[in-house]
Amino acid sequence: MTTAQAPRVAPPGSLVPVAEDVYAFVQPEGGWCLNNAGLVAGGGRSVLVDTAATESRTRRLREEVARIVPGGPDYVVNTHFHGDHTFGNGQFTPRAVVVAHEGTRSDTEEAGLGLRHLWPDVEWGETPLTLPTLTFRDELTLHGDGLRTELLHVGPAHTANDIVAWVPQRAVLFTGDVVWSGVTPYILMGSVTGSLRALERLRALGPAVVVPGHGPVGGPELIDATEAYLRLLQELAQDGLRRGVGPLQAAREADIGAFAGLLDSERLVGNLHRAYAELDGLAPGARIDVAASFKEMVAFHGGLPACHA
């Protein structure tokens, strides 16, 4: 497979304040494996939400965290199992306790370092598989001296077991990959209907600041935009099934209107695979042939999508 577009060089991320004692680590431009993270540092115990995909990018994140919390975070939260959010765990342990949903722990162990094989030319560095040691099912609150971070299980959405991190005293919501900003959502391993339910729950929290899993920080409008894309996805899937065409052809023929400018548009193919399967009765979050859909995404893109991790 070859990359079908000119390389884009992503600048390193940095921690920026989004509320008092709450920070976002945004990695432009938010494409494949360029995820966001966050820090809650309201005195006493601190919480890092997600890490990064490569050794070098996680070192950058660790340096940025050390500016705010010199000793490093007390907790590292993984919003889901994908490697761009978890591969850096080992740079914060053993000091930090890694926290995740119990399903995320088992999925992380099963997936291992497999993401690295999709883009073998990326300089991944040393990213030892570091599993969560504290897990939960529904909700867990991490208390600092000044702020609390509420971890809420909202999956299946992006994956089978997504969680979000909510800082109610600052109205800041770290969504992981349940919400996207300027980047095409990706729900192949999760659920269309589950995502829509999750977005309703997030909207009901009343966040003032939304830190998405990829792309620029915003407000509740990011929830609305992600929902609008998923509603269109459902319509395209229903139309494709009615016409008897597969996800790849449906994606090639689709008019996605206002969403045409989103990064990584090839994800539409994978998303349609999930949408078709759910319309055929597959349960939200149930296993699906990821490899087959990824091959069709490559065909849609005209080569392997670029990853600048």
Side-chain angles (χ1 to χ4, degrees), residues 164-179:
V164 300
W166 170 234
V167 188
Q169 293 140 296
R170 299 291 186 266
V172 177
L173 178 64
F174 296 94
T175 69
D177 288 358
V178 178
V179 175

Side-chain angles (χ1 to χ4, degrees), residues 212-224:
H214 295 252
V217 174
E221 74 281 355
L222 300 184
I223 298 174
D224 298 338

Side-chain angles (χ1 to χ4, degrees), residues 40-217:
V40 182
R45 298 183 182 274
S46 58
V47 179
L48 177 64
V49 182
D50 284 328
T51 59
T54 65
E55 179 183 4
S56 62
R57 287 187 176 275
T58 305
R59 288 189 183 280
R60 171 68 178 180
L61 172 60
R62 192 175 67 181
E63 291 168 358
E64 287 290 289
V65 170
R67 290 194 298 106
I68 312 300
V69 184
D74 298 284
Y75 298 100
V76 170
V77 173
N78 292 155
T79 58
H80 60 286
F81 77 92
H82 289 159
D84 49 339
H85 297 255
T86 64
F87 279 176
N89 287 355
Q91 291 200 38
F92 298 96
T93 59
R95 171 187 165 83
V97 175
V98 181
V99 187
H101 187 270
E102 60 181 21
T104 292
R105 187 186 194 281
S106 60
D107 286 343
T108 302
E109 186 171 27
E110 179 182 346
L113 302 177
L115 179 66
R116 295 166 58 118
H117 303 310
L118 288 178
W119 288 283
D121 294 334
V122 168
E123 294 183 8
W124 297 99
E126 294 296 320
T127 60
L129 188 65
T130 305
L131 299 177
T133 56
L134 174 62
T135 62
F136 66 99
R137 292 183 179 180
D138 298 316
E139 298 183 6
L140 178 68
T141 300
L142 304 176
H143 292 273
D145 290 344
L147 298 177
R148 69 180 186 274
T149 305
E150 298 177 1
L151 307 181
L152 311 174
H153 178 228
V154 299
H158 170 62
T159 66
N161 290 293
D162 297 277
I163 66 171
V164 300
W166 170 234
V167 188
Q169 293 140 296
R170 299 291 186 266
V172 177
L173 178 64
F174 296 94
T175 69
D177 288 358
V178 178
V179 175
W180 303 73
S181 176
V183 183
T184 304
Y186 191 42
I187 46 84
L188 174 67
M189 299 181 193
S191 171
V192 185
T193 56
S195 291
L196 292 170
R197 285 193 295 269
L199 293 173
E200 276 300 308
R201 185 175 178 189
L202 301 188
R203 187 179 285 113
L205 293 172
V209 177
V210 174
V211 182
H214 295 252
V217 174

